[in-house]
Amino acid sequence: MKQLIVTCLPSFYKNLAFRRIAEKNTLKVFFTYDSKIKRTGDFFRYGLENENIVKKRNFFKNLKNLYLESRKSDFVTLGGWDDIYFWFLRLVIPKRKLKLIVESTINEFKESKLATPLKKFFLNGISECIVSGQPHARLVHHLGFNGKIKISKGVGVLDFDYEPIVKNRPEKVTEFLYVGRVSVEKGIDLLLTFFERNVNLRLNIVGSIEDEKYLNLIAANDNITYHGYKNRDELKKIYSVNEVFILASRTEPWGLVIEEALYHGLPLIVSNNVGCSEDLVKLYNTGEVFVVDDLIDLTEKIEKIISVNQYMSYCENIKSINFKEISNNYINCFL
């Protein structure tokens, strides 16, 4: 089987997935390299072999090469609908050969007199959607898609070279961890407000700060510590000294950090706008989901999870997750 995948940019979790797909299929990948978010160096590790990559040249040569590769492929998988390369291939390739990766959810969707009809038109030329989870499936249903849907339960493959971690029973649950960009869409201001009022609990923040005002706010509180950016090789130690992972995002199409936290045995507190909240938190009962931006609901959910017995119940549920099975399911969605 030969396939062409066209996606925005390389990332460690997608590169690993592509490598595994290439073991079973003849694979070509074209990266549009269009990212509005600044990424650090190790985000791009595990690059593909040169023979798997469609070289990027000038725009018109790219179109020609993509068209020629698509003609040689049994099917073509598009990484979205917001790039001119995606639209070109949507228009020139027969529907039976086209698949679409959907990593957006119904939560981010806003009706638009222009964008909504365009997305419906785009989907009308797609035979199969590979969606990350249930909120993603609801989005394509809402847009009128009636083709085949596969739920991948992820956005790629984790890269840890050790077995999943199991948490021991703590005397108290006090250490909370956030890993990610420190920005307004991640709900950092809500977390700072909560932990300012609850000094008996600690918040540890790891990631790049996008707005310097947050550095001043963090420094003003003894129970909130900013650890800076950490390379992936340092994550095991970071997760090991914390007890609960917290993600208050206002917008989060999936949340790969949730998979990482679960792999390291941490129960979760996430907002209902986190894309994996249904498929990884509610389904496996691995933590609590609060209403986005609702400080009262967040407080109630944290009070529940810091009960040691309840905490250990979530830890037991995390132990039952088969991470290899989840990775295999993701790969199989592309085969």
Side-chain angles (χ1 to χ4, degrees):
M1 188 76 73
K2 296 180 180 180
Q3 70 167 301
L4 168 66
I5 297 177
V6 182
T7 188
C8 290
L9 76 165
S11 60
F12 68 90
Y13 51 90
K14 280 191 166 52
N15 286 343
L16 282 174
F18 295 150
R19 282 187 171 191
R20 290 186 55 184
I21 293 167
E23 293 172 359
K24 301 184 179 183
N25 278 184
T26 301
L27 177 66
K28 291 286 187 178
V29 179
F30 178 79
F31 296 109
T32 66
Y33 292 91
D34 181 22
S35 176
K36 300 178 179 63
I37 300 171
K38 184 179 179 181
R39 300 291 191 178
T40 51
D42 68 343
F43 183 82
F44 304 103
R45 61 167 62 176
Y46 313 115
L48 287 165
E49 300 296 332
N50 287 336
E51 61 264 26
N52 295 118
I53 299 176
V54 179
K55 299 299 182 185
K56 192 167 185 182
R57 297 180 173 88
N58 66 57
F59 176 69
F60 292 105
K61 282 188 177 180
N62 290 340
L63 294 181
K64 178 183 177 181
N65 289 339
L66 285 174
Y67 177 71
L68 293 175
E69 289 292 343
S70 70
R71 291 287 300 271
K72 294 183 289 185
S73 301
D74 294 294
F75 54 88
V76 177
T77 302
L78 306 178
W81 45 37
D82 56 356
D83 187 283
I84 192 168
Y85 292 113
F86 300 150
W87 275 93
F88 168 74
L89 293 169
R90 156 64 179 84
L91 294 172
V92 301
I93 298 175
K95 178 176 180 175
R96 59 181 172 78
K97 291 179 62 171
L98 274 180
K99 301 182 180 184
L100 177 67
I101 301 169
V102 180
E103 295 177 356
S104 300
T105 75
I106 192 70
N107 299 330
E108 297 97 48
F109 178 74
K110 291 181 175 58
E111 292 286 352
S112 165
K113 290 182 179 179
L114 177 61
T116 300
L118 285 174
K119 289 178 180 178
K120 288 182 177 181
F121 172 78
F122 194 100
L123 280 169
N124 191 48
I126 301 295
S127 65
E128 179 180 304
C129 284
I130 301 170
V131 303
S132 296
Q134 296 296 334
H136 312 74
R138 287 200 293 276
L139 173 61
V140 296
H141 281 308
H142 178 77
L143 292 171
F145 181 73
N146 55 14
K148 186 175 183 180
I149 294 177
K150 290 182 179 178
I151 297 180
S152 65
K153 281 196 175 181
V155 291
V157 175
L158 295 179
D159 61 339
F160 302 117
D161 59 358
Y162 45 87
E163 291 299 308
I165 306 300
V166 176
K167 281 292 185 184
N168 296 321
R169 185 182 182 90
E171 292 184 11
K172 293 182 179 180
V173 178
T174 59
E175 298 292 329
F176 288 72
L177 173 66
Y178 166 78
V179 176
R181 291 179 294 111
V182 182
S183 60
V184 64
E185 67 265 24
K186 298 294 186 178
I188 291 295
D189 50 328
L190 183 72
L191 295 184
L192 294 177
T193 298
F194 173 83
F195 284 93
E196 284 170 1
R197 299 178 182 181
N198 294 271
V199 295
N200 58 313
L201 302 176
R202 291 192 55 82
L203 174 63
N204 295 291
I205 299 174
V206 173
S208 302
I209 291 181
E210 294 190 352
D211 189 333
E212 289 301 319
K213 73 177 182 182
Y214 289 118
L215 190 55
N216 296 328
L217 291 171
I218 292 165
N221 297 276
D222 292 337
N223 64 323
I224 302 174
T225 304
Y226 175 58
H227 298 271
Y229 174 81
K230 300 294 181 183
N231 289 317
R232 295 196 57 72
D233 297 334
E234 302 174 273
L235 289 180
K236 184 177 181 180
K237 181 178 180 180
I238 292 293
Y239 283 113
S240 68
V241 296
N242 285 278
E243 292 154 344
V244 178
F245 190 88
I246 190 163
L247 186 60
S249 298
R250 298 179 172 100
T251 301
E252 192 77 51
W254 179 249
L256 186 76
V257 287
I258 295 301
E259 294 183 63
E260 294 179 348
L262 289 173
Y263 198 89
H264 291 86
L266 273 68
L268 307 162
I269 296 280
V270 304
S271 81
N272 61 341
N273 273 5
V274 173
C276 66
S277 62
E278 293 183 35
D279 295 86
L280 295 183
V281 185
K282 291 182 178 179
L283 180 64
Y284 294 109
N285 194 19
T286 57
E288 295 293 326
V289 179
F290 72 94
V291 176
V292 65
D293 276 332
D294 189 329
L295 182 60
I296 294 175
D297 194 34
L298 172 63
T299 302
E300 291 176 355
K301 299 301 167 59
I302 289 179
E303 287 175 351
K304 182 176 180 180
I305 207 169
I306 62 175
S307 163
V308 175
N309 287 337
Q310 183 63 59
Y311 176 82
M312 290 309 300
S313 173
Y314 294 134
C315 290
E316 287 298 313
N317 293 336
I318 294 170
K319 283 169 58 178
S320 71
I321 298 175
N322 188 329
F323 291 96
K324 289 182 180 178
E325 186 177 274
I326 290 174
S327 293
N328 290 337
N329 174 74
Y330 184 86
I331 299 303
N332 289 335
C333 285
F334 292 83
L335 302 179

